Amino acid sequence: MLQLQGVDFTVGRSRFFDSLPGSAEATSKIYVKVQPDAWEGAILAQLDTGAAWSVFEPEVAEAIGILNGSGEIVELDTRFGLKRGRLERVTVTVLADEGESLGVEATIFVCRDWPERKNFLGYNGLLERIRIALDPPGYFFYFGPAPSL
Amino acid sequence: MASGILGALNELQPTRWIMPRPERIPRLRGLSAVGLFRESIETLEVAGSIQAQAALARFTTLESVVLGIRQPLEYQSYAASYVATAGVFRPSSVLNIRVADEIRVIDVVPIQLANEVVQLERFDPAAIIDLPIGDVLWHAEATTAWQPFAGRLETPNAARKTPYISLIRNLIENDRISQARALLNALPEETVDQPQLMELRRVLALPKVSTTKMTDMDRAREYEWLKSHERDYRGQWVAVDGDRLVLSAGSLKELIDELKRLNLARRPLIHRL
């Protein structure tokens, strides 16, 4: 794993993918594996430090039981326009192929009319407490917990 | 001190229309005031929904910020156009709003709270006064006739406390998350047990991260399978293990239910093609 000044900077790594089969997205992005909540499966979500919040598409949100939650309703200005939804708390595991995975008690923005196939790992509520690094030629995504506050 | 300020403000009789002034330091009934007394009667840009529809008076002293509102009385829509925002054209109109002379004070916010967290000069008045916006009609075409605001904009109580929840929601919606968190941490003690504020604290808490020995595997083979079968299973949710399709289904719920039933030894990669 990666170290910074002799101390572990990351604890795990996984392969990332730069395109998503079935998606109309024409440009390269970073797609990493996560396991939402207590699923027994992994999905690919776009790593996006420019996204204010993490978002799962409605079917994923429904499958993890947060689509009809009671979280605070907010209206956010997103890349897909103004979207009304809720902020919900859920555990997301960033899965490692090597090393250790990270379990994150994260805050997700849940919106019923969010587009299909658009799952994002955003900054507030998730990435803000994770250290990350990329090895683009090797297609590796490194990650580790931020130091305790 | 607070009652002196309130008393002084209640005696103010400003003119009906006031042009925005950058600063003015008034002396009220012998009180020295340091800071800005600022009102803005704004010509408001409406884009799809009302963003702000009342004049907000703010009076800053050494100790506190007084929030007051002028009741909006009438509005006039005089232009209709389309505005490009983030590459999307949205219909908009321009409103003039005529407001009452009287400034009704709604709260006195301790300066420490206001200064630490909130840039009140840039506040969205709709967040402060929490007025419903549905009463203002959307005009597809411009009209110069003055239209009254509906009666239910009247607040029943003369004194209305600062709507902290609206303030925090406003901060969230403007992507000012660190300020929303700081405001939550600085709220008066008597607000601690309010259910909505407790929920906001919960969802705005920093993420908790822990390591786990659970690992996955390199999904290159699954990825190649997805690319190869993109057309065959378009629109379907699929679960793939290595170069083998485990399941496909029309909905994620069906897929997950079936996966649970199968109780697989290895976690598949789940994807919608």
Side-chain angles (χ1 to χ4, degrees):
Chain A
M1 294 302 122
L2 304 181
Q3 291 196 328
L4 178 64
Q5 296 173 338
V7 178
D8 283 345
F9 186 81
T10 62
V11 299
R13 79 172 188 179
S14 66
R15 179 185 293 277
F16 73 82
F17 303 99
D18 61 8
S19 65
L20 212 56
S23 166
E25 176 61 58
T27 57
S28 295
K29 301 285 188 282
I30 308 287
Y31 298 99
V32 301
K33 288 179 307 185
V34 295
Q35 178 174 299
D37 203 44
W39 275 19
E40 287 305 317
I43 62 167
L44 295 172
Q46 183 180 331
L47 185 74
D48 190 353
T49 56
W53 297 97
S54 303
V55 192
F56 288 136
E57 62 180 293
E59 278 204 67
V60 174
E62 187 180 29
I64 59 178
I66 58 175
L67 186 63
N68 299 306
S70 57
E72 186 63 24
I73 296 174
V74 291
E75 193 171 78
L76 302 180
D77 194 3
T78 74
R79 71 194 71 196
F80 303 114
L82 271 177
K83 293 292 182 189
R84 192 173 171 82
R86 297 178 185 275
L87 293 176
E88 298 284 355
R89 201 78 171 168
V90 69
T91 298
V92 176
T93 302
V94 181
L95 291 167
D97 296 342
E98 299 167 53
E100 294 178 304
S101 301
L102 291 184
V104 187
E105 191 187 312
T107 298
I108 307 291
F109 177 61
V110 179
C111 172
R112 286 189 166 273
D113 65 348
W114 192 258
E116 294 176 352
R117 300 183 179 82
K118 302 292 183 189
N119 299 293
F120 293 93
L121 303 183
Y123 187 76
N124 294 303
L126 199 152
L127 292 178
E128 64 180 308
R129 295 296 299 156
I130 297 179
R131 286 171 150 169
I132 63 175
L134 289 177
D135 171 14
Y139 288 89
F140 284 120
F141 166 54
Y142 292 84
F143 47 86
S148 304
L149 292 168
Chain B
M1 176 62 128
S3 59
I5 295 167
L6 293 181
L9 277 175
N10 284 335
E11 289 184 1
L12 277 176
Q13 292 295 329
T15 55
R16 186 153 233 196
W17 290 100
I18 296 179
M19 296 303 292
R21 293 175 195 167
E23 56 185 13
R24 184 180 109 198
I25 304 177
R27 183 174 288 274
L28 299 172
R29 296 178 66 189
L31 297 171
S32 294
V34 177
L36 299 177
F37 179 73
R38 178 173 170 178
E39 287 186 76
S40 61
I41 309 295
E42 298 175 4
T43 300
L44 303 170
E45 196 70 30
V46 177
S49 64
I50 306 292
Q51 296 302 312
Q53 60 180 352
L56 182 69
R58 300 159 215 142
F59 182 64
T60 307
T61 72
L62 286 170
E63 293 185 353
S64 57
V65 176
V66 180
L67 303 182
I69 89 172
R70 291 170 177 263
Q71 175 73 28
L73 299 174
E74 298 172 303
Y75 66 94
Q76 177 194 46
S77 169
Y78 68 87
S81 61
Y82 281 84
V83 175
T85 305
V88 176
F89 280 96
R90 296 195 175 105
S92 78
S93 73
V94 180
L95 293 182
N96 276 329
I97 293 186
R98 190 169 286 159
V99 295
D101 287 339
E102 178 193 60
I103 300 175
R104 186 147 35 98
V105 176
I106 55 174
D107 202 359
V108 179
V109 180
I111 198 75
Q112 185 180 7
L113 179 67
N115 274 350
E116 275 181 0
V117 190
V118 172
Q119 303 276 336
L120 286 184
E121 300 300 320
R122 297 172 58 195
F123 242 134
D124 174 3
I128 296 284
I129 58 180
D130 204 18
L131 285 177
I133 63 174
D135 291 344
V136 179
L137 299 175
W138 168 249
H139 292 281
E141 297 177 2
T143 170
T144 56
W146 286 95
Q147 309 289 331
F149 279 99
R152 72 184 175 95
L153 294 179
E154 219 22 90
T155 53
N157 301 317
R160 180 188 162 124
K161 283 302 174 185
T162 306
Y164 291 115
I165 292 166
S166 293
L167 293 179
I168 294 165
R169 191 185 301 127
N170 185 263
L171 288 168
I172 295 171
E173 292 176 349
N174 284 281
D175 202 17
R176 293 159 69 183
I177 308 306
S178 57
Q179 286 165 298
R181 287 172 173 151
L183 178 55
L184 274 170
N185 289 335
L187 289 180
E189 265 189 38
E190 60 265 25
T191 66
V192 162
D193 294 333
Q194 285 183 24
Q196 265 186 291
L197 287 172
M198 288 171 65
E199 175 62 17
L200 281 168
R201 283 193 182 88
R202 194 179 73 90
V203 295
L204 288 184
L206 286 172
K208 292 181 188 163
V209 183
S210 57
T211 57
T212 163
K213 299 290 182 201
M214 174 175 68
T215 55
D216 196 54
M217 63 203 83
D218 185 343
R219 297 292 185 167
R221 290 164 65 199
E222 286 84 348
Y223 185 76
E224 288 306 314
W225 188 97
L226 291 173
K227 284 203 310 184
S228 303
H229 295 84
E230 200 175 325
R231 285 188 186 175
D232 303 332
Y233 292 91
R234 189 175 296 284
Q236 295 272 304
W237 284 93
V238 296
V240 186
D241 181 7
D243 51 12
R244 182 180 71 92
L245 174 70
V246 174
L247 272 179
S248 67
S251 75
L252 180 58
K253 185 177 185 315
E254 280 179 56
L255 192 84
I256 296 289
D257 287 346
E258 189 60 19
L259 281 174
K260 283 180 185 167
R261 198 185 63 78
L262 290 175
N263 197 22
L264 300 170
R266 285 203 319 190
R267 185 187 302 114
L269 182 67
I270 294 173
H271 191 67
R272 185 207 295 256
L273 283 172

